[in-house]
Amino acid sequence: MTRDAQRAKVYAAEEFVRTMFDRAAERANPVVDFFGTQLTLPPEARFGSVDSVAAYVDDVLAHPAVRERWPAATPLRVRSRRGVTAAHYERAGAAATIAVPEGRSVWALRELVILHEIAHHLSDADPPHGPEFVAVYTELVGAVMGAEVAHVLRVVYAKEGVR
């Protein structure tokens, strides 16, 4: 596997975007000033259980835009992850799984994080957070959450030096 050289930059950019969503939710106002432009952020799904994440993952993979763009996408299992606070994607042969820390870390049980893990499944890129992954994640977020969120990601990735 190739060194995952831009992983920290990708995570920093995505943390910035999640913080934008958090602040908009705290203010109960989806309109944000984004580098001099007002954008309206869509609501971000939050999950309460592994089962609700699994249902969401199934819905995303069945979404017409996702099926059209990634017709060879295989099923993706979701399981509980113990002892850690991060979500995680794993592949063992043909079986692919997202592990989420049920009840331990609410930050991982949110739409942007789950879409990040689904993007790993759809891109299966090497390095894991390289340009191919970034393109897939941005496109997936645009298809599922909307063009505004994809735009925000593209701009923040560029600002962080993500390729």
Side-chain angles (χ1 to χ4, degrees), residues 10-150:
V10 167
Y11 286 174
E14 291 175 13
E15 176 63 26
F16 182 92
V17 173
R18 287 191 304 271
T19 299
M20 284 181 59
F21 273 84
D22 290 343
R23 289 191 178 144
E26 287 168 5
R27 291 188 328 267
N29 182 0
V31 178
V32 297
D33 181 45
F34 184 67
F35 295 103
T37 302
Q38 287 197 338
L39 295 176
T40 302
L41 298 177
E44 180 189 12
R46 301 293 182 123
F47 307 99
S49 68
V50 169
D51 289 341
S52 63
V53 172
Y56 176 79
V57 167
D58 290 345
D59 288 347
V60 168
L61 292 176
H63 189 288
V66 173
R67 300 231 15 103
E68 182 178 326
R69 172 62 178 85
W70 296 280
T74 58
L76 182 56
R77 191 174 150 259
V78 179
R79 71 168 175 83
S80 181
R81 182 176 189 185
R82 294 179 289 161
V84 296
T85 58
H88 154 98
Y89 173 77
E90 58 199 26
R91 181 180 292 278
T97 303
I98 295 174
V100 294
E102 185 173 32
R104 289 179 174 78
S105 177
V106 295
W107 85 262
L109 297 175
R110 61 188 299 168
E111 189 169 21
L112 287 165
V113 171
I114 302 306
L115 288 173
H116 175 107
E117 301 308 327
I118 294 170
H120 280 300
H121 180 63
L122 296 174
S123 70
D124 204 21
D126 182 29
H129 296 94
E132 180 187 338
F133 168 80
V134 169
V136 168
Y137 180 55
T138 304
E139 187 175 351
L140 178 63
V141 165
V144 175
M145 294 183 75
E148 295 84 357
V149 186

